[in-house]
């Protein structure tokens, strides 16, 4: 027996955006309610921070632009450990988001010691959020500061 009015299963997706073909397939099938995309690092620090091939930076950019052009709600977030990032790095990521047309909130998250960034040590300093530029189009929201 078949149900003609069976609900479509949809889900939230957390992604680093490095597999745009998978993201596109999920979007094309209308399977996503929400996407949370991790902006891991600015281009000049991508390999150092992620330990992934630099070519995956381009994949992230494809995914980001796909989400900007689409209609599924999404957020962009960066977890900041001050051994890896400084204010200029976060400002660069913010400027990149504005330049690609993103108009949501950019969530800058303070690192909390634990398994999320592998074997990272506790950070000695906290990012000086007051030193970040205020965006005209992309609002910065801070978590865990």
């Amino acid at each position: 027996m078949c149900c003609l009015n069976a609900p479509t299963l949809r889900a939230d997706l957390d992604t680093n955006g490095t597999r745009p073909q998978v993201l596109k397939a999920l979007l094309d099938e209308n399977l996503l309610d929400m996407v949370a995309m991790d902006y891991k690092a600015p281009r000049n620090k991508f390999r150092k921070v992620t330990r992934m091939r630099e070519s995956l930076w381009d994949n992230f950019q494809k995914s980001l632009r796909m989400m900007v052009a689409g209609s599924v709600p999404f957020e962009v977030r960066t977890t900041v450990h001050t051994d890896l990032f400084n204010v200029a790095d976060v400002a660069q990521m913010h400027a990149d988001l504005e330049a690609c047309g993103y108009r949501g909130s950019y969530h800058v998250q303070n690192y909390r010691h634990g398994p999320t960034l592998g074997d990272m040590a506790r950070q000695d300093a906290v990012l000086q959020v007051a030193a970040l530029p205020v965006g005209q189009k992309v609002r910065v929201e801070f978590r865990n500061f």
Side-chain angles (χ1 to χ4, degrees):
M1 179 172 215
C2 176
C3 288
L4 296 176
N5 294 323
T8 302
L9 295 177
R10 295 171 54 115
D12 294 352
L13 175 69
D14 289 274
T15 180
N16 64 13
T18 58
R19 298 183 63 199
Q21 68 282 8
V22 173
L23 180 60
K24 182 176 182 341
L26 293 170
L27 292 169
D28 288 350
E29 293 295 322
N30 196 32
L31 295 175
L32 300 175
D33 287 319
M34 170 68 181
V35 173
M37 188 172 291
D38 291 328
Y39 193 155
K40 295 292 189 183
R43 183 177 201 123
N44 65 323
K45 289 191 173 180
F46 186 78
R47 183 159 175 75
K48 177 185 175 187
V49 170
T50 66
R51 298 181 182 131
M52 291 189 273
R53 296 182 321 270
E54 288 182 35
S55 62
L56 293 178
W57 162 261
D58 295 326
N59 287 1
F60 164 74
Q61 287 291 309
K62 286 177 189 172
S63 293
L64 179 60
R65 284 172 171 66
M66 187 184 325
M67 292 305 302
V68 166
S71 60
V72 173
F74 78 108
E75 74 172 32
V76 178
R77 61 192 181 199
T78 299
T79 299
V80 175
H81 189 297
T82 53
D83 287 355
L84 299 173
F85 298 109
N86 57 40
V87 169
D89 297 324
V90 177
Q92 175 60 49
M93 291 185 280
H94 181 263
D96 181 47
L97 290 170
E98 287 198 340
C100 80
Y102 179 61
R103 297 299 175 255
S105 293
Y106 176 37
H107 301 275
V108 177
Q109 305 172 150
N110 188 39
Y111 170 76
R112 286 187 172 175
H113 188 69
T116 58
L117 288 179
D119 58 356
M120 291 296 300
R122 294 184 187 276
Q123 59 184 351
D124 293 327
V126 175
L127 186 74
Q128 297 302 310
V129 295
L132 287 170
V134 176
Q136 295 289 324
K137 301 169 186 166
V138 177
R139 183 178 68 215
V140 180
E141 293 186 12
F142 300 100
R143 294 176 175 160
N144 306 324
F145 280 91

